[in-house]
Each structure stands twice: as structure tokens, then as C-alpha cells.
Amino acid sequence: MTRHQIVASVLGADYMRLGDELAELEAAGVDGVQWDVMDGRFVPNLTFGADVVAAGRERVDLPFEAHLMIEEPERYVSEYVRAGCDTVIVHAEATVHLHRTLGLIAEAGAKPAVAINPATPVEAIRDVLGDIDLLLIMTVNPGFGGQSFIRSMLPKIARARAMLDQIGSTARLEVDGGIKAHTIGDAARAGADVFISGSGILGHPDGKAAAVRQLRHVLEAEAGAA
Ligand code: DX5
């Protein structure tokens, strides 16, 4: 059974103290950080350039994922790898030649990963499942934190799990969007093993460490019940 991983999205962090927020997330016990990179075109929001990620790289030792919610992500893959990202996630909807873009990520020395939006069937990326280390199923329409988990994505997560298992893939299955204590168990039961949480951790009233403990408690209960 793949150990479940909790990865914090920093989209909702206090940007005036981003370095401290990263250090607090590390102390809270997250397994990694996801940088939600947005270009105002692919999604209606603008966020982190590679220089911001590189500055964060100096503050913590956590694995970094770059979630490139940008058009033609192939243009920026090497920048985010140089900035210190271990995994680079591109959207199948944003690059014409997905297979080639995934190869670019691997050639740059990072783990290639693909994300699909809620309306994109997982079957659309069936033919690159053998070329990725991580598949991200969006459980919100990307662009903003704090949105509600789209429950109709649960069967899609299960289909993705079945497809990965069918080819014997060791790729991790990640979900992103609306992951909180009341939704993470359902996503785990459907077959996800990496959970991106932004507002569920950064906005938790009892703080980051309590939020991570609560999420892990739900996952452990789910694993025990499986
Ligand atoms: C897409 C972003 C968000 C973010 C997590 O809009 O990728 O999903 O990471 O936001 P929460 O956890 O607040 O839904």
C-alpha cells in the first residue's frame, strides 16, 4: 500500500512572510510543497515566477512540485527545474505535444507529471501513463484556492487508479482542490495517494500542525478500514 502523502499548496500563503510559512509547513510535517504557477491565461489568476520558487528553495528541504497551470508550459519547464522543483506537472489541456513536453521534464532532471481538469477524461492521457511519475486529477476547476471538492470526480479517480494498476505503473495518483478532513477520506478510498491541500492547512483555525495531524488521522483511519 503506497504511503499517503500530504503536500501543501502555498497558493493561500501569506506572501509577506512566505519563507516563514514554508518553514512552518515543514515543521508541521507535510511531505512536500506545491507551487501553483498561474499565467492569467490558462487559469484566471497570476502567481509565482521561478525566482520566487528559487527563494523558497533556500528556506526548506521539502520536495517541491511545480504545478504549471499555464499555456505552453514547455516554455518554462527548465526554469522551474533550475529553481529547485523535483516534480513538474503540466496540464494535458495546455500543451499540444504532451508526450514531448513530458520528455523535456525528464531530460531536465525532474519527475514528469500530467494534470487533467475536471472536464478532461482520464482516458485522454492513457497513452502517456507509462511516461509519468505522477498523475494529478483536479477536483476543482483550477485558478483559486478555497473552492469546494467536486464529488463527481470520485469515479474518475477510481478509473485512473484502475488504469495505473492495469499497466503496473508506480506513478503516484494525486488530487488537488477542496481537500480537507471531510473530503480526503473519500479521495483516498477512490484510490488517490497524494493529497494537495491549501486552505485546508493554511487556513485551519488550530494551525498548520493540527491541520496536518487531522488529515493524517483521517487517512490512517481510511487505511485501517480498507
Ligand atoms: C487550483 C489550485 C488549488 C490549490 C489548493 O486552483 O491548485 O486547488 O492548489 O487549494 P485548496 O486546497 O484551498 O482547494
Side-chain angles (χ1 to χ4, degrees):
M1 176 73 183
T2 310
R3 189 178 89 82
H4 291 139
Q5 292 180 311
I6 295 171
V7 174
S9 153
V10 288
L11 182 63
D14 176 352
Y15 297 157
M16 292 299 106
R17 44 185 306 277
L18 188 51
D20 294 340
E21 293 266 67
L22 288 168
E24 289 165 18
L25 286 168
E26 188 168 50
V30 300
D31 296 301
V33 166
Q34 184 183 91
W35 296 86
D36 302 90
V37 178
M38 301 181 179
D39 64 357
R41 285 285 309 282
F42 184 69
V43 293
N45 199 351
L46 275 166
T47 60
F48 312 106
D51 289 348
V52 177
V53 177
R57 184 72 282 167
E58 300 302 311
R59 283 298 299 270
V60 292
D61 295 328
L62 289 166
F64 280 3
E65 303 182 357
H67 178 188
L68 300 184
M69 288 169 270
I70 66 174
E71 295 285 353
E72 300 170 20
E74 56 272 18
R75 297 171 297 148
Y76 291 96
V77 162
S78 55
E79 279 192 48
Y80 283 91
V81 176
R82 275 199 303 274
C85 292
D86 312 86
T87 300
V88 175
I89 306 168
V90 297
H91 270 260
E93 306 91 347
T95 179
V96 173
H97 299 289
L98 176 59
H99 180 271
R100 179 186 293 157
T101 300
L102 294 170
L104 278 177
I105 298 169
E107 284 159 25
K111 296 184 177 78
V114 62
I116 51 176
N117 285 331
T120 304
V122 64
E123 292 71 15
I125 47 100
R126 175 192 295 274
D127 295 315
V128 292
L129 290 181
D131 302 295
I132 58 175
D133 288 274
L134 180 140
L135 168 58
L136 168 51
I137 307 285
M138 291 304 296
T139 46
V140 294
N141 288 295
F144 301 94
Q147 300 181 81
S148 298
F149 182 83
I150 302 174
R151 296 191 61 80
S152 61
M153 292 297 107
L154 289 169
K156 181 175 173 182
I157 297 166
R159 287 203 313 275
R161 176 81 276 157
M163 287 168 70
L164 289 169
D165 292 349
Q166 189 183 14
I167 65 169
S169 168
T170 57
R172 293 170 294 154
L173 182 53
E174 181 170 288
V175 289
D176 177 358
I179 298 297
K180 295 186 170 61
H182 68 283
T183 55
I184 194 169
D186 293 335
R189 197 171 314 119
D193 40 44
V194 186
F195 305 88
I196 303 293
S197 185
S199 55
I201 295 175
L202 292 164
H204 195 286
D206 298 332
K208 299 178 177 71
V212 174
R213 272 198 307 275
Q214 187 182 34
L215 292 173
R216 288 218 194 279
H217 177 71
V218 176
L219 289 174
E220 283 156 11
E222 186 51 45

